[in-house]
Amino acid sequence: MELRKVTKAFPGGGPPAVQELDLHIPAGEIVVLLGPSGCGKTTTMRMINRLIEPTSGDIVIGEQSSRDIDPDRLRRHIGYVIQQAGLFPHMTVAANIAQVPKMLGWDRRRIAERVDELLTLVGLEPDTYRDNYPRRLSGGQQQRVGVARALAADPPVLLMDEPFGALDPITRERLQDELLHLQDDLAKTIVFVTHDVDEALKIGDHIAVMQRPGHIVQYATPAEILTNPANEYVEQFLGAGSSMRLLRLTKVGDIDLDRVPYAAEDADARDVLAELGRDGRGYALITDGMHRPLRWVTASDLEGKEGPVGTAGDPVGDMLGHRMTLQDALEALLNAESEIVPVVGRRRAYAGALSLATVQNAIQSIKAREHERRMRRERT
Ligand SMILES: Nc1ncnc2c1ncn2[C@@H]1O[C@H](COP(=O)(O)OP(=O)(O)OP(=O)(O)O)[C@@H](O)[C@H]1O
């Protein structure tokens, strides 16, 4: 989807709500519009599904200008989720979800099957929820129904306007996780509006940072925005704590891990001992035939031993996954029994090790990059 110099001026003067907006929204990605109240996020969304018409410019979906698509047809191909779900209170959950399929003339059986399928997809048990009314549901459950309704006719595009804005922080985080999980399978093209920086960083493949009135100041990936904000405005909008946020964005597998020596359990104890001597840190990891960590051994476990390492040493306790965020890894390390913890990648194979010192090095290099960026900006 592509927005080309899209402008919206409302009658009554003042600067246009949206000004010559250019935005490329790649298929299958989540693009977040992030900005303060009144910067034109909702107006942009409403132009995409033609609830309002641009004053000038063009919106191209697929190969076609949205102007050339009948608005009703267009809206059936674009799911819309808004804050507080916007469900019809006098209709059951099933009837709410079934709206678009009904308009499309699906038969009753197909609709009923689709409703149950969608309820299951968004984590609501069909038998419990399909005949319920929205007011009997919690905010989080209503929002789930809102997502189910938007997905009913399997639209390729989803517009989500502050969908989790009215939820408590815990429910909000859970729904964010579920959305990302769903997106792994569905790969919809999603435009997601929020004014919450952390939500944007977590959800977005790309983020468009918007500024009043109605324009984009930076369009980049979350990591780029954090490490290289385009200007003072973006930096201020991100606020303090960029380093902590980077910990949340960075995956364990992205940093330089500790290369602890390792050997298979059938390796000769004398060879492992020699390797320990060369490495100098005094311990090694023993793995099974699939490179999965089994035990820690120290030099004294191997002293005088001949033949395979076998069951020498102590079993490995905690392990970390390479997809874990640095923040979660830090938390796990603080609670771990040993100072150093193996990191495993695909099929739980050994990928390196992590200690507080390794994390600290990673933080240091993040900080160094930040410092360098600041110096660069001051020079220009
Ligand atoms: N129907 C309208 N008539 C006149 N002005 C409008 C209309 N809709 C929006 N505006 C104005 O356009 C600007 C952008 O509004 P918009 O709702 O798109 O911002 P937003 O970024 O979504 O803000 P919020 O986060 O508060 O929803 C605001 O100044 C708003 O007052």
Side-chain angles (χ1 to χ4, degrees):
M1 181 154 52
E2 187 119 11
L3 277 65
R4 294 183 187 154
K5 300 241 171 302
V6 172
T7 294
K8 178 68 193 183
F10 288 107
V18 172
Q19 303 191 355
E20 304 214 329
L21 212 68
D22 283 318
L23 185 63
H24 173 71
I25 300 162
E29 271 204 11
I30 303 183
V31 167
V32 173
L33 306 182
L34 171 69
S37 183
C39 69
K41 304 183 296 291
T42 299
T43 303
T44 304
M45 296 282 249
R46 291 165 72 86
M47 285 192 284
I48 293 173
N49 67 5
R50 289 190 67 187
L51 284 170
I52 54 179
E53 300 291 344
T55 313
S56 60
D58 198 9
I59 297 173
V60 178
I61 299 176
E63 303 280 277
Q64 224 179 352
S65 166
S66 68
R67 260 189 313 234
D68 301 331
I69 309 173
D70 169 65
D72 284 335
R73 212 186 126 238
L74 182 74
R75 269 169 241 140
R76 274 183 243 127
H77 286 86
I78 300 180
Y80 196 29
V81 187
I82 56 173
Q83 201 176 66
Q84 289 172 327
L87 302 174
F88 292 109
H90 58 282
M91 285 187 193
T92 64
V93 163
N96 267 286
I97 297 174
Q99 273 182 309
V100 172
K102 244 183 168 162
M103 269 192 301
L104 293 173
W106 293 14
D107 67 50
R108 286 172 70 158
R109 206 173 123 199
R110 185 171 171 210
I111 291 179
E113 279 172 7
R114 181 67 179 151
V115 165
D116 283 6
E117 182 189 1
L118 285 161
L119 283 172
T120 308
L121 189 71
V122 298
L124 297 173
E125 220 283 306
D127 287 340
T128 313
Y129 290 100
R130 74 166 83 77
D131 297 321
N132 242 312
Y133 284 87
R135 66 173 180 282
R136 309 258 314 263
L137 272 50
S138 71
Q141 289 165 342
Q142 289 187 28
Q143 214 55 46
R144 287 194 169 92
V145 175
V147 172
R149 179 177 61 178
L151 291 172
D154 202 19
V157 178
L158 216 52
L159 304 180
M160 307 185 81
D161 194 347
E162 301 230 22
F164 311 138
L167 303 175
D168 64 85
I170 293 174
T171 310
R172 183 174 185 149
E173 285 234 6
R174 175 156 342 126
L175 287 188
Q176 290 166 350
D177 291 337
E178 286 176 15
L179 174 68
L180 290 175
H181 192 68
L182 267 183
Q183 175 68 352
D184 275 346
D185 292 334
L186 300 179
K188 301 286 178 192
T189 304
I190 299 178
V191 189
F192 188 107
V193 159
T194 186
H195 57 252
D196 182 300
V197 174
D198 288 306
E199 184 165 76
L201 293 170
K202 177 172 173 179
I203 292 277
D205 294 305
H206 282 93
I207 299 174
V209 184
M210 294 183 67
Q211 184 174 18
R212 268 189 303 250
H215 62 272
I216 292 173
V217 270
Q218 185 169 16
Y219 184 47
T221 63
E224 275 165 29
I225 284 178
L226 277 180
T227 49
N228 209 359
N231 58 22
E232 290 288 330
Y233 169 82
V234 178
E235 193 154 329
Q236 279 187 5
F237 195 75
L238 293 174
S242 281
S243 300
M244 279 310 290
R245 288 182 163 129
L246 268 173
L247 283 186
R248 242 174 280 158
L249 273 187
T250 310
K251 301 277 188 274
V252 167
D254 296 338
I255 67 166
D256 285 333
L257 296 173
D258 214 343
R259 302 264 159 242
V260 176
Y262 73 103
E265 52 190 334
D266 58 1
D268 193 294
R270 287 165 296 188
D271 294 341
V272 180
L273 195 57
E275 175 65 26
L276 280 186
R278 276 193 296 276
D279 178 69
R281 73 185 88 198
Y283 54 85
L285 199 61
I286 302 304
T287 63
D288 69 7
M290 310 273 286
H291 301 293
R292 289 177 299 213
L294 293 175
R295 281 184 305 283
W296 290 111
V297 290
T298 61
S300 63
D301 293 325
L302 302 173
E303 222 82 64
K305 207 169 160 36
E306 289 182 18
V309 176
T311 56
D314 296 314
V316 163
D318 311 271
M319 285 194 256
L320 301 170
H322 70 312
R323 286 180 191 278
M324 222 175 179
T325 66
L326 266 196
Q327 178 173 277
D328 290 342
L330 191 55
E331 172 112 27
L333 277 174
L334 292 171
N335 292 312
E337 305 223 324
S338 57
E339 228 165 84
I340 185 153
V341 175
V343 174
V344 292
R346 278 208 198 103
R347 301 202 180 90
R348 311 198 69 72
Y350 172 67
L354 206 60
S355 64
L356 289 177
T358 333
V359 177
Q360 193 164 18
N361 283 341
I363 295 173
Q364 225 107 58
S365 64
I366 288 169
K367 273 193 179 158
R369 281 205 301 268
E370 247 174 53
H371 179 72
E372 201 179 299
R373 161 174 55 76
R374 212 158 269 138
M375 300 296 286
R376 221 184 310 130
R377 175 148 359 114
E378 272 165 24
R379 278 199 298 272
T380 55

